[in-house]
Amino acid sequence: MATPIGNLRDITLRALDVLAAADVIACEDTRTTGRLLKAHGIATRMTPYHEHNAARVRPGLLRRLESGEVVALVSDAGTPLISDPGFRLVSEVQAAGIDVVAVPGPSAALAALVASGMATDRFLFAGFLPARGPARRSALSALAGIDMTLVFFESARRLPGSLKDMAAVLGPREAMVARELTKIYEELRRASLPDLVAHYAEAGPPKGEVVVVVGPPEDPPGDLDDAGDIDEPLRAALEAMSLKDAVAAVSGASGRARREVYARALEIRGGSKK
Ligand code: SAM
């Protein structure tokens, strides 16, 4: 069940009813969930369920459910299972033939998306990118050709580096950094990826939690007019990454055959301006 992503008042009335009526609340951190329960006068017992004890605790939760108890699952903030624990529990509960009921509510990814002004008809939630440059760039390459708004979770510390790789691999798309959503220092910063790179290069990593929303490519794959169209993104990609990653990124983003992009990359590298 979804809990607030910051503001303790951002919880649905139904979620409060379910928490109050449950036999036990499985939560990541009893102190965090305890504050939420206290704020709303709920006395239901809690039991820790997090990535370090999940395998050990799951059988006990399943037994309780099989004996007819109601177990509510919450994460520290937002929606469980969305980059948070719960997936295995839900799949095992379903496999045991026990009902699972979603209690929707706050979600950092959706809050950022709807505040971004980017297209919402189709979007891809990409979770956290890998922490290190080469793996991050190759993960971005795999997303470069997707004609949808992209939503990323990111740590504030890694934000400047990730934005740099996004600009190099995805090109100069519109993007938004949504920081501290629903909290006192909430901030929405919308600009092109290169402008966001410049901003955080100067300002340094922000404080708090961030979501990055990146708009779809302006020229969806296959819409480019001639081979010259790939030169600009290819030059930027070659500056930021290996030849192989640059070719994969630009081929994915442009829809052009890898061998064609590879040939052009060699020409650019060799200084030929055909
Ligand atoms: N399950 C949660 C949800 O549905 O919102 C997400 C949990 S995930 C472990 C934590 C990440 O969510 C953070 O690194 C950040 O990217 C994002 N996040 C959570 N709360 C946020 C907030 N108030 N403002 C911006 N981003 C937030």
Side-chain angles (χ1 to χ4, degrees):
M1 135 177 10
T3 57
I5 53 176
N7 189 326
L8 288 185
R9 293 172 63 78
D10 280 340
I11 184 159
T12 67
L13 297 176
R14 178 174 172 228
L16 292 177
D17 288 347
V18 173
L19 288 173
D23 294 295
V24 65
I25 298 169
C27 56
E28 280 187 275
D29 184 329
T30 53
R31 285 163 307 179
T32 306
T33 300
R35 279 195 289 278
L36 174 72
L37 299 187
K38 189 161 173 233
H40 296 287
I42 294 171
T44 308
R45 263 179 315 126
M46 295 175 280
T47 188
Y49 183 79
H50 45 71
E51 58 179 330
H52 304 295
N53 74 356
R56 184 165 49 79
V57 168
R58 236 179 352 257
L61 290 176
L62 276 161
R63 276 196 299 278
R64 297 180 83 135
L65 288 160
E66 277 160 354
S67 73
E69 287 192 17
V70 173
V71 177
L73 171 71
V74 307
S75 51
D76 279 353
T79 304
L81 283 72
I82 306 301
S83 296
D84 266 339
F87 167 72
R88 248 177 222 292
L89 180 62
V90 168
S91 72
E92 287 186 20
V93 169
Q94 278 181 339
I98 298 163
D99 287 343
V100 175
V101 180
V103 183
S107 142
L110 290 182
L113 173 70
V114 298
S116 72
M118 312 283 172
T120 51
D121 52 339
R122 295 192 314 151
F123 64 91
L124 187 145
F125 171 61
F128 285 97
L129 285 166
R132 302 182 80 81
R136 187 162 62 200
R137 288 192 286 274
S138 93
L140 284 165
S141 302
L143 300 170
I146 293 174
D147 186 18
M148 293 185 202
T149 296
L150 304 174
V151 182
F152 300 92
F153 282 167
E154 191 47 284
S155 84
R157 191 170 48 84
R158 286 200 286 267
L159 180 70
S162 286
L163 287 171
K164 211 168 155 211
D165 284 342
M166 286 177 193
V169 179
L170 303 177
R173 303 187 194 179
E174 274 297 291
M176 190 185 76
V177 174
R179 186 173 78 87
E180 294 287 272
L181 288 159
T182 77
K183 304 190 208 174
I184 271 187
Y185 295 108
E186 174 165 336
E187 178 189 35
L188 304 178
R189 183 172 292 278
R190 182 173 163 165
S192 70
L193 279 170
D195 285 351
L196 288 173
V197 171
H199 171 79
Y200 289 104
E202 191 171 325
K207 289 203 168 62
E209 299 192 277
V210 296
V211 177
V212 182
V213 183
V214 180
E218 272 192 13
D219 293 311
D223 273 13
L224 297 175
D225 297 334
D226 58 55
D229 287 335
I230 61 172
D231 278 14
E232 200 187 319
L234 190 51
R235 276 181 217 285
L238 284 168
E239 271 176 35
M241 60 188 87
S242 69
L243 179 77
K244 186 166 162 261
D245 284 349
V247 170
V250 174
S251 160
S254 65
R256 293 196 182 272
R258 264 179 200 241
R259 63 174 187 291
E260 181 193 346
V261 180
Y262 183 72
R264 186 65 190 138
L266 289 181
E267 285 171 3
I268 289 174
R269 273 240 170 134
S272 160
K273 305 269 188 301
K274 209 156 81 174

